[in-house]
Amino acid sequence: MVLYSTPYSSTCLHFLDGLSWSLVFPCYWLLDRLLASCVPTSLEKRQRSQDPCSFLTLCVLISVPLYLLLFFASLPFALLGFIIWAPLQAVRQPYLYTYRGAGTGEWRPQGRSFCFCSANVCLLPDSLARFNNLSNTHKRALEMGKRIRNGASRPQIKIYIDSPTNTSISAASFSSLATDCPMHSPGGQSVPAQPDCHMREEGRQHRASIDCPLHTSGVQISISAPEPDPQEEDTVETRNHREVGGDTGSMTASRESLARYHACDGGIGISSNNTLSHVPRTSIFKRPGRKRRHGDETFDHEISAFFPANLDFMALQEVFDHGATSKLRRQLHRYFPYVLSDVGRYGWKGCCSRFKFLNSGLLLASRYPILDARFECYPNGRGEDALAAKGALFAKVHVGTSHQEQRVVGFITCTHLHAIEGDAAVRCEQLDLLLQWGAEFRQSSCQSPEGEKVLEDLVAFDVILGDLNFDNCSSEDKLEQQHALFTQYKDPCRLGPGEDKPWALGTLLDPSGLYDEDVTSAESLQKVMENEDGRKEYLVFPPSKNQCPGSSQKGRKIPLKGNGRRIDYILYSDEGLQPDWKLDIEEFSFVTQLAGLTDHLSVATRLAVSTGEEEP
């Protein structure tokens, strides 16, 4: 079980790779800028139409001939660098494992819960991202990393209601409840705890919580948050807490801590017109999602403006651009100690495969140590999809140790399937390979070395996350909807083939509307997604016979059924768990916190692993 922490096995190969890329990069960058100048986003088109003689138009007219001249001048050096670079890719490691030391959390005999999230972030080279109406790939990557860690590191609020008729309470009403608590002051600040308030561990060293006594209204509030990293107490994160008036030494959640996604390092944010700008570090109370239960549903579901608190695992797709990957990884490491990135090989793999200009675009971030990992590339890509090394990343994570000194582990699969419409057979072949490779990985990673006697690992969960590029309602996707994948893994949003649950939401946004003021912030997009007319306006729906395949959906009058195309999935399996262990969903969320940065909604779920043992 070797994890690759460097791209190459020797320093010499690493040097040659750096040398070759330094020759290729100027030509690559100039070509990217040249194409980007010719593919404006809808925001840039709007700005140019409002002012044809604007500075932006002038820059384009001057830069295009200059880029073209410099491109041809750098081309001979790029060809030389490519001759060196391409053969090196055959011996490049399939992924890069980076980590920052952290211990494994304590495993409770009764079990515990784990939170998973998946997002397609569209971090293509800038010229290619513009075909999805997105730009500024590196700046978007930086902002995404900040929003993810700010959302995940906020305190988790659990509100218990002593009433048989209520199952949940919105966090908006938390502010009024907290002021009545003996240990909270009206301003959201904390005061010394009363004797009947106590602290308790949440089952792992990363979290702690404060339980308030039962209010006269029959409501009890429990707040948990990750413990601050000692290495970062003097960094920007600490400064951000102090600037918003929070108390970094307190476990109590202030209103500001619920909504700091605009307060980030360097004051970079997304303004109302979705252009990157410097904004003051202010904090405004923002309305989180209201959790609901539908009918006989056994778990809460919501459309949330924030990533789940205490997020454990984050799977990302379309992290293609190398510079953007580095920026995003640095931000994620401030919350996730363990990251698998740069997944997949470039170049040729075997004499019959097509050249891969892009890697797989997969990234997996974890709060738990990664014990083993493997990447497999799908061999049947077609068209433009064959230019990327799309595949599946498998990981085995160490989530705790039992009292019998047995490791408690989980299996996570991150994948991105073929995207071209009408290629259902290609996707089904890839799903077959996904199941086959997953079974092989689980079997090989559980085998002990020869001659060594070790205790068998206890499996807590088996989860698949990713963009599968088909939905459960389109008639064109019937073949995928009936695949054996859904007999081995459960989809929390699915009733059966061709039928989603009423609350399930499409995750693919209409690119033409990304810069509308109604959807450029997490809260505004959340509000739009909660409204049926808003969903019809800004989500992509299954193609209609009365609509041209390439036309935009904005403003069309054709009746639409369902809630959009849901192509981003989180699937889980309760097969292969220990006897008497049970896996249940606590909550499922559609997350809008990356509004304005990508053309997908994120999805998140919290799974509860129970062992059947009773509390002592």
Side-chain angles (χ1 to χ4, degrees), residues 179-195:
T179 57
D180 299 329
C181 178
M183 62 176 296
H184 296 98
S185 64
Q189 305 294 322
S190 62
V191 297
Q194 302 298 320

Side-chain angles (χ1 to χ4, degrees), residues 105-109 111-112 114 203 399-403 408 460 581 609 611:
E106 180 185 356
W107 174 258
R108 292 187 300 176
R112 55 151 304 133
F114 302 93
V399 298
T401 304
S402 70
H403 292 315
V408 183
W581 284 27
V609 182
T611 63

Side-chain angles (χ1 to χ4, degrees), residues 304-349:
S304 174
F306 307 102
F307 286 101
N310 297 330
L311 180 61
D312 294 306
F313 305 99
M314 186 78 187
L316 302 178
Q317 302 86 48
E318 292 197 9
V319 189
F320 287 117
D321 186 85
H322 181 74
T325 301
S326 300
K327 293 178 183 292
L328 178 60
R329 183 172 56 227
R330 281 195 295 269
Q331 291 296 322
L332 293 177
H333 263 313
R334 297 190 178 187
Y335 179 80
F336 296 100
Y338 310 95
V339 175
L340 291 169
S341 59
D342 287 332
V343 180
R345 290 190 176 99
Y346 301 90
W348 289 280
K349 184 182 179 182

Side-chain angles (χ1 to χ4, degrees), residues 1 18 66 143 148 172 192 237 255 301 333 428 441 471 477 489 498 580:
M1 298 182 185
L66 182 61
E143 179 68 15
I148 291 171
E237 276 298 288
R255 298 180 185 181
H301 52 84
H333 263 313
C428 285
F441 174 74
D471 65 78
D477 295 335
Y489 289 83
D580 300 327

Side-chain angles (χ1 to χ4, degrees), residues 11-66:
T11 306
C12 179
L13 294 175
H14 189 76
F15 170 77
L16 289 175
D17 181 77
L19 176 63
S20 61
W21 184 243
S22 65
L23 295 172
V24 172
F25 179 75
C27 183
Y28 162 79
W29 184 85
L30 289 166
L31 179 62
D32 184 52
R33 298 317 309 154
L34 181 63
L35 294 176
S37 301
C38 301
V39 186
T41 64
S42 61
L43 177 63
E44 293 169 344
K45 290 179 181 178
R46 187 190 312 161
Q47 293 172 342
R48 294 177 190 178
S49 64
Q50 293 173 352
D51 185 7
C53 299
S54 66
F55 177 73
L56 181 62
T57 304
L58 184 62
C59 287
V60 172
L61 293 176
I62 296 175
S63 62
V64 169
L66 182 61

Side-chain angles (χ1 to χ4, degrees), residues 236-246 248 256 260 263-264 280-283:
V236 178
E237 276 298 288
T238 303
R239 295 199 303 272
N240 282 345
H241 280 285
R242 289 173 180 169
E243 287 168 357
V244 299
T248 57
E256 290 81 8
R260 269 189 307 112
C264 45
R281 302 184 188 216
T282 57
S283 295

Side-chain angles (χ1 to χ4, degrees), residues 325-392:
T325 301
S326 300
K327 293 178 183 292
L328 178 60
R329 183 172 56 227
R330 281 195 295 269
Q331 291 296 322
L332 293 177
H333 263 313
R334 297 190 178 187
Y335 179 80
F336 296 100
Y338 310 95
V339 175
L340 291 169
S341 59
D342 287 332
V343 180
R345 290 190 176 99
Y346 301 90
W348 289 280
K349 184 182 179 182
C351 59
C352 298
S353 66
R354 297 182 62 176
F355 189 89
K356 306 298 183 183
F357 289 94
L358 300 171
N359 62 14
S360 71
L362 302 177
L363 184 148
L364 178 64
S366 170
R367 294 181 71 186
Y368 292 93
I370 297 174
L371 299 174
D372 193 12
R374 180 187 299 174
F375 171 74
E376 297 287 352
C377 180
Y378 295 127
N380 61 341
R382 295 181 185 174
E384 61 270 22
D385 251 31
L387 301 178
K390 284 189 173 182

Side-chain angles (χ1 to χ4, degrees), residues 587-608:
E587 59 187 25
F588 192 96
S589 306
F590 296 91
V591 183
T592 64
Q593 195 165 0
L594 297 183
L597 301 178
T598 180
D599 56 350
H600 285 245
L601 296 181
S602 307
V603 290
T605 191
R606 196 178 300 274
L607 295 177

